[in-house]
Amino acid sequence: MNDTIRMHYERILPFVEEKELKTLHDEALEARKTLLAGNGKGNDFLGWVNLPEDLDQSILDQIKGDVSRLAPKSEVLVVVGIGGSYLGARAVIEALQSEFAMIEGNGMPYVVYAGHTLSEEYYHQLIQLLDKKEYSLVVISKSGTTTEPAIAFRILKAHMEKKYGVEAAKERIVAVTDARRGALHDIAQQEGYSTYVIPDNVGGRFSVLTPVGLFPIAMSGYDINRLLQGAKDMRQICINNDSMEENPALLYAVLRNALYRKGRKVEMLVNFVPNLKYLSEWWKQLYGESEGKEGKGILPHSLSFTTDLHSMGQYVQDGERLMMETVLSVANARNGVDIPSDEKNLDGINYLLGKSLTEINHNAELGTIMAHVEGGVPVLRIEVPQVDEYVLGQLIYFFEFACAVSGYMLGVNPFDQPGVEAYKKNMFRLLGKPGYEK
Ligand code: PA5
């Protein structure tokens, strides 16, 4: 079985000119050169480029040790973090686990999230759950000062100390933060938590292949070595191949920029398997925060089909022609389910007998793509053989690399996020934080 991702872009070609693709290919090669030479904008944050190769074995050993210490005594793992500090882990975990894992369990801790919301009701509900469950907690913040996870951690640390006692609670808490600075760094030092470092040169949304993502993924029972292997293999492809046919990251960066320059300001990432919903959420952060600045950038949007064909499908087919569509297409399901035969055929679906659900889903996918192209939406199909750790590792690295190249082609710094500060300043002033009174 072919175990790498494949790009199908014939349905984009009617919307762009060949000459333009050639020009953009040259721009993409130039952008990659800048990225690999480390002399472009934001070059202090390029640690992710070599991460799959550079990750120290001692980190993997520490993760293994913490997982074997904590998993047997935890029904639940709480991941406290926001943005890049939780979306990568959630993307991988939710892609791999059963949709019903919370109820049925799989022998490993079930991951729940905190620090990504300020909803009081959410924390009330979480505490009610944690009153009844054995749990451990990982608090993740690169700056160590972000308000949402700081509040969540204060609430949950107090809950844990009450439930288990101060000393036992310390054994159940893991921290992932900066090597030297920040409130979380200081708390972790004082309390003696098992601690992992987020490298200085890796930004939040590019950090899933550091302990930020690796620790929660390993705690859920998934194979982080396979994830890293997928990323490593994709890295070789991304950094070495000049041809768009052989380098999906270059091709993706070229196609989306070609369409953007033709007025396609929105990109919809579409899946036909609901487990990929959080991969889309991770992708939205990656591309939205990296490219949406200086009044520029493609707006990343996501849909889950066929579910959303019955809600947003109408707009995609007939609404304003703002968008391009990128379908993440999964060739094989990991498990089969038969459609039973029924002589009466009152529902009229006997014509489907003998076809697998995956085959039916693929026909829905093809029918949708054809309809959307006819309706004037350019569609790129990214095909993966199945959803597993290796493929997810490939996808993560592919999307990250393409994002950096695409951001440089757009002329922005893909590694900063100055716009995120605006709401914080207002919120701090409204809440009376010292130093923000006026
Ligand atoms: O990509 C980013 O840099 C952001 O989304 C951060 O991950 C997010 O704001 C959380 O920051 P921190 O990890 O410092 O708490």
Side-chain angles (χ1 to χ4, degrees):
M1 194 192 297
N2 188 335
D3 64 353
T4 194
I5 65 179
R6 294 171 58 196
M7 309 289 277
H8 303 272
Y9 66 105
E10 60 285 355
R11 289 188 169 88
I12 301 268
L13 295 177
F15 297 87
V16 289
E17 284 123 44
E18 210 175 305
K19 202 172 80 207
E20 206 181 345
L21 290 185
K22 283 210 176 78
T23 311
L24 281 160
H25 183 206
D26 290 342
E27 280 184 36
L29 287 171
E30 203 48 46
R32 184 183 64 173
K33 201 165 142 199
T34 305
L35 176 70
L36 296 179
N39 55 18
K41 291 181 184 171
N43 60 10
D44 286 350
F45 288 95
L46 300 181
W48 60 273
V49 176
N50 295 331
L51 253 186
E53 300 286 345
D54 288 355
L55 198 78
D56 211 279
Q57 183 58 40
S58 64
I59 294 173
L60 295 173
D61 293 343
Q62 189 186 344
I63 292 176
K64 204 167 161 198
D66 278 337
V67 170
S68 40
R69 184 172 62 82
L70 292 172
K73 57 180 180 189
S74 311
E75 294 168 279
V76 169
L77 172 72
V78 188
V79 173
V80 181
I82 194 164
S85 287
Y86 92 105
L87 280 167
R90 191 163 192 176
V92 173
I93 292 166
E94 300 210 358
L96 295 172
Q97 79 185 0
S98 160
E99 290 278 351
F100 311 104
M102 188 171 209
I103 297 165
E104 70 175 8
N106 69 350
M108 291 301 279
Y110 182 83
V111 175
V112 298
Y113 300 88
H116 61 318
T117 174
L118 291 170
S119 158
E120 190 155 16
E121 192 54 37
Y122 185 90
Y123 288 103
H124 171 73
Q125 291 169 9
L126 179 59
I127 285 166
Q128 283 199 313
L129 175 80
L130 298 178
D131 280 342
K132 293 182 238 121
K133 300 284 181 191
E134 299 304 319
Y135 74 101
S136 33
L137 180 154
V138 55
V139 52
I140 307 170
S141 176
K142 183 169 182 195
S143 62
T145 55
T146 308
T147 308
E148 292 91 334
I151 293 172
F153 183 53
R154 184 180 290 197
I155 294 170
L156 295 173
K157 180 172 178 279
H159 180 272
M160 204 178 231
E161 287 173 350
K162 197 163 158 217
K163 180 166 173 142
Y164 295 109
V166 173
E167 289 311 309
K170 287 179 189 170
E171 300 293 316
R172 287 178 177 266
I173 296 174
V174 169
V176 187
T177 191
D178 186 86
R180 288 170 294 277
R181 288 175 296 268
L184 178 57
H185 166 268
D186 299 346
I187 298 173
Q189 288 270 304
Q190 261 183 37
E191 304 280 298
Y193 303 147
S194 176
T195 302
Y196 297 85
V197 166
I198 308 175
D200 280 346
N201 59 358
V202 180
R205 60 190 174 275
F206 288 85
S207 69
V208 52
L209 300 175
T210 72
V212 170
L214 297 178
F215 176 72
I217 294 166
M219 275 291 279
S220 300
Y222 299 112
D223 186 345
I224 55 175
N225 290 309
R226 288 295 293 155
L227 187 81
L228 288 165
Q229 189 58 50
K232 248 186 221 177
D233 291 349
M234 181 51 68
R235 176 179 171 275
Q236 289 303 326
I237 295 171
C238 291
I239 66 174
N240 290 321
N241 293 351
D242 289 352
S243 140
M244 287 197 289
E245 295 300 327
E246 286 163 24
N247 188 331
L250 289 183
L251 179 64
Y252 182 49
V254 165
L255 294 174
R256 60 199 300 285
N257 277 287
L259 291 165
Y260 178 62
R261 290 178 197 186
K262 288 211 166 299
R264 300 290 167 154
K265 308 239 181 226
V266 177
E267 180 179 2
M268 309 177 305
L269 185 67
V270 162
N271 66 65
F272 282 76
V273 286
N275 292 70
L276 295 179
K277 180 174 182 291
Y278 265 89
L279 191 70
S280 296
E281 294 302 318
W282 170 82
W283 170 87
K284 279 196 280 196
Q285 188 210 354
L286 181 64
Y287 280 79
E289 262 189 1
S290 299
E291 294 192 322
K293 50 196 72 160
E294 299 174 28
K296 297 193 270 192
I298 298 168
L299 173 66
H301 176 60
S302 65
L303 294 167
S304 285
F305 289 164
T306 60
T307 313
D308 293 331
L309 287 172
H310 297 258
S311 59
M312 291 300 292
Q314 172 59 38
Y315 191 103
V316 178
Q317 192 65 43
D318 286 339
E320 268 216 70
R321 303 298 72 188
L322 306 165
M323 69 288 261
M324 59 186 99
E325 182 170 339
T326 300
V327 176
L328 200 46
S329 172
V330 181
N332 300 295
R334 281 175 294 175
N335 300 292
V337 173
D338 290 332
I339 299 178
S341 73
D342 180 346
E343 265 177 35
K344 287 189 195 143
N345 194 26
L346 291 176
D347 51 16
I349 59 169
N350 270 359
Y351 76 99
L352 295 173
L353 292 178
K355 292 186 170 60
S356 71
L357 257 176
T358 295
E359 196 179 341
I360 296 168
N361 204 12
H362 284 158
N363 280 287
E365 181 184 301
L366 181 57
T368 304
I369 291 174
M370 287 159 63
H372 289 175
V373 172
E374 275 161 32
V377 179
V379 181
L380 168 68
R381 191 163 74 91
I382 301 177
E383 186 186 12
V384 298
Q386 66 276 321
V387 179
D388 60 22
E389 289 93 330
Y390 181 74
V391 166
L392 288 166
Q394 289 192 339
L395 280 173
I396 286 167
Y397 196 89
F398 154 73
F399 277 129
E400 288 181 351
F401 198 89
C403 180
V405 170
S406 182
Y408 278 160
M409 290 168 76
L410 192 65
V412 298
N413 174 357
F415 307 112
D416 66 0
Q417 54 284 327
V420 178
E421 298 311 309
Y423 97 91
K424 292 184 191 171
K425 279 189 197 137
N426 288 339
M427 177 177 80
F428 292 154
R429 185 173 44 77
L430 291 165
L431 290 169
K433 183 173 177 173
Y436 289 83
E437 287 85 359
K438 288 191 238 167

